[in-house]
Amino acid sequence: MAAHTNPVERFGPATTAWFTSSFEAATPAQVGAWEAIASGAHSLVIAPTGSGKTLAAFLSALDRLTTSKRITDPGRRCRVVYVSPLKALAVDVERNLRAPLAGIRHAAQRIGTTLPDADLTIAMRTGDTTPDARRAFQKSSADILITTPESLYLLLTSKARESLGGVDTVIVDEIHALAGTKRGAHLALTLERLDARLDSPAQRIGLSATVRPVDEVATFLAGGRPVTVVQPHADKTIGVEVVVPAEDMTEPGTDTSSMWPLLDDRIASLIDAHRSTIVFANSRRLAERLTTRLNELASDRVG
């Protein structure tokens, strides 16, 4: 394969246009993942949170799906299966896939490129999926299936397995949470069962922020087959700052002589100043009290 000055240039014009207009540059994890995926190898991508691992795994598939002719046969239409150990994560990924799909479509219109299959469909299959949605997938399938290990097993042991005959890519997210567990052993058997239904085994892509030992997790991912490990070096930068909302904690200067009003205000200010904030509490009761107070403060500020 010819080398690319810009790693994104390996994709179609619309995908490249969307990515370059949305991001300053590809991350090392994305560059390494795209090279490994393009080679056809099973790939284990290990990179910190925020390095774009999920997009690294999905972008090649989205580009391939949007630039190839739509498969109308319901039994072969689904080509990408994403497996998450958490239902909540699966829901987030389903939601987050909408942005690149819409972006690629809009980029194609902007640059005057025709996409053979611009309207990709995404199906969810978890324990919360309604019977109507399950029947709809069995009847017409979808281009991308987002599921959990247990739900994938149930799919393959029901009539809906007939909808998975065209899968060519399986993405396993948070693979460290599955390797070495009973759920992981069960998933390993399920993936082999899926491969047995295919003309050729699907390419497997594992994602994780932390994996140890790497060789064993790679073996788990591909069932002992060769795996390309993508693990770019990343320096961990941790900044620690101790902040006290009052100069003298013995005399907080509040009407109630309590630190809590000052703490509530300080936490609310930090939440306003950041996109994401994690607040740790010693008990569920304290977490609920703090949440109620933060909601009241937010309401007062909006009002």
Side-chain angles (χ1 to χ4, degrees):
M1 177 177 290
H4 298 276
T5 304
N6 182 348
V8 188
E9 291 178 352
R10 70 175 65 250
F11 302 122
T15 304
T16 300
W18 168 76
F19 188 92
T20 54
S21 66
S22 302
F23 304 95
E24 292 185 4
T27 66
Q30 290 172 336
V31 174
W34 293 337
E35 291 177 353
I37 294 169
S39 73
H42 298 304
S43 305
L44 175 60
V45 184
I46 307 168
T49 301
S51 58
K53 294 188 299 296
T54 304
L55 186 59
F58 267 110
L59 196 59
S60 295
L62 295 181
D63 181 71
R64 184 178 71 257
L65 292 175
T66 55
T67 55
S68 59
K69 186 177 180 181
R70 165 166 288 188
I71 296 176
T72 57
D73 179 1
R76 306 188 68 84
R77 181 179 175 186
C78 183
R79 285 178 281 174
V80 179
V81 173
Y82 168 90
V83 182
S84 166
L86 302 172
K87 287 191 291 186
L89 180 59
V91 172
D92 285 344
V93 168
E94 190 270 343
R95 185 185 304 115
N96 293 336
L97 273 181
R98 305 292 178 184
L101 282 174
I104 292 171
R105 286 196 298 268
H106 294 156
Q109 295 172 0
R110 187 174 70 250
I111 65 177
T113 297
T114 300
L115 296 177
D117 193 359
D119 298 319
L120 300 181
T121 56
I122 304 171
M124 283 278 297
R125 178 65 185 264
T126 70
D128 296 332
T129 303
T130 64
D132 287 344
R134 296 181 186 186
R135 285 190 292 269
F137 179 78
Q138 183 176 337
K139 180 179 179 181
S140 58
S141 189
D143 299 291
I144 299 170
L145 172 66
I146 296 176
T147 187
T148 60
E150 292 76 16
S151 291
L152 180 59
Y153 165 77
L154 292 175
L155 272 171
L156 287 167
T157 54
S158 69
K159 291 183 179 180
R161 64 180 176 271
E162 302 298 333
S163 301
L164 299 176
V167 174
D168 56 36
T169 303
V170 174
I171 300 170
V172 182
D173 207 349
E174 302 292 343
I175 193 171
H176 65 275
L178 294 168
T181 68
K182 291 182 179 179
R183 291 184 76 199
H186 193 245
L187 175 62
L189 292 173
T190 298
L191 294 180
E192 294 300 323
R193 176 173 285 182
L194 173 61
D195 276 350
R197 296 195 54 79
L198 307 175
D199 295 335
S200 59
Q203 182 181 27
R204 301 182 190 178
I205 304 169
L207 306 176
S208 180
T210 176
V211 159
R212 193 177 293 112
V214 174
D215 290 345
E216 290 188 14
V217 176
T219 299
F220 163 74
L221 171 66
R225 305 173 186 87
V227 175
T228 297
V229 176
V230 178
Q231 189 176 17
H233 176 74
D235 293 322
K236 292 185 178 180
T237 302
I238 301 175
V240 178
E241 181 181 3
V242 178
V243 178
V244 181
E247 292 185 5
D248 187 347
M249 295 181 66
T250 62
E251 297 182 7
T254 64
D255 295 337
T256 61
S257 297
S258 170
M259 288 290 294
W260 281 110
L262 295 176
L263 287 169
D264 294 340
D265 288 339
R266 179 58 175 160
I267 293 172
S269 297
L270 290 170
I271 292 173
D272 287 340
H274 297 82
R275 181 177 178 182
S276 300
T277 307
I278 300 177
V279 180
F280 294 93
N282 289 332
S283 66
R284 177 170 181 168
R285 180 180 179 184
L286 177 57
E288 291 174 346
R289 190 210 70 81
L290 180 59
T291 300
T292 300
R293 181 56 184 152
L294 291 174
N295 285 335
E296 292 172 350
L297 289 172
S299 178
D300 291 342
R301 295 184 184 190
V302 172

